[in-house]
Amino acid sequence: TENSLLAASGEGTIQSFDLRTKKPDIQSEMYESELNCLASVRTGTKIAVGSGAGTIYLFNKDQYGLHSDQWPGHPDSINTMISITDNVVITGCEDGHIRAAHLYPHRFLGVVGHHDQELPVERMDVSSSGEVVASISHDNRVKFWNVSYLEEMDYNKTKKPGVLPKNAVKSKSKRQK
């Protein structure tokens, strides 16, 4: 609701707080890895939550006890996430890559960019126009990425789930396993 605050926790839970009563409201079950970031999607009816295991959990609004859907697939921890459209999020990951992901249906759209030396992406934000994403990493640089093409993309013509474009940067950590 409008009078609640939702927080992700390093202990592996999300917790809602009722701002009127100033008390905790609903807490999710405990997940195996930390829950690092939240993004509102699907016109505010769902919350996407990024985890340390690379899974995106989807919760229905005001039903935070157990996720309604999950999408494993990121090779490393998802440190930060922002929604670009109702179905597209951008994730900043431990391997330094910034990925675009379509939520319904689940599919990677590709790598938007990456930070040097595979340093983790710590934070991202989107411009008020929605065309540029800024990211910061441990390389002491703020980088800017044009993402305006994500709003114009015809998602019915993209490749099947899990297939990145051939020019996408792949994670070295996945190849080492």
Side-chain angles (χ1 to χ4, degrees):
T1 63
E2 292 180 15
N3 294 315
S4 64
L5 172 71
L6 189 62
S9 125
E11 72 176 357
T13 62
I14 61 172
Q15 173 78 54
S16 68
F17 297 90
D18 187 329
L19 297 176
R20 292 172 294 187
T21 63
K22 299 180 182 169
K23 292 184 178 179
D25 192 14
I26 303 169
Q27 182 175 355
S28 72
E29 69 174 42
M30 193 166 291
Y31 289 83
E32 289 183 18
S33 69
E34 66 274 7
L35 301 179
N36 297 325
C37 51
L38 305 161
S40 176
V41 295
R42 304 285 290 198
T43 62
T45 61
K46 295 221 179 248
I47 302 296
V49 180
S51 77
T55 300
I56 296 175
Y57 295 101
L58 296 156
F59 291 83
N60 293 322
K61 183 179 178 183
D62 297 327
Q63 298 176 8
Y64 306 123
L66 181 63
H67 62 275
S68 61
D69 198 2
Q70 67 181 350
W71 179 26
H74 284 76
D76 287 307
S77 174
I78 302 169
N79 295 339
T80 181
M81 177 170 35
I82 53 176
S83 57
I84 297 299
T85 69
D86 277 344
N87 278 324
V88 177
V89 294
I90 294 191
T91 58
C93 300
E94 189 71 22
D95 62 2
H97 289 94
I98 299 162
R99 295 176 174 86
H102 192 276
L103 296 177
Y104 293 100
H106 304 322
R107 66 178 79 175
F108 283 108
L109 300 175
V111 174
V112 172
H114 69 279
H115 280 263
D116 298 333
Q117 304 161 4
E118 293 194 6
L119 294 171
V121 178
E122 290 298 324
R123 295 285 175 261
M124 296 185 304
D125 203 356
V126 64
S127 66
S128 60
S129 67
E131 295 178 357
V132 176
V133 168
S135 64
I136 188 164
S137 179
H138 292 281
D139 59 5
N140 294 323
R141 294 186 178 165
V142 176
K143 291 191 171 185
F144 298 91
W145 313 98
N146 181 355
V147 294
S148 59
Y149 65 93
L150 292 172
E151 289 189 22
E152 300 161 3
M153 190 180 252
D154 182 1
Y155 295 107
N156 294 325
K157 294 185 179 180
T158 55
K159 295 184 181 185
K160 62 183 178 178
V163 178
L164 290 172
K166 290 185 188 224
N167 60 354
V169 180
K170 299 198 180 183
S171 170
K172 285 185 183 175
S173 62
K174 194 167 189 173
R175 284 183 268 162
Q176 293 172 350
K177 291 181 182 176

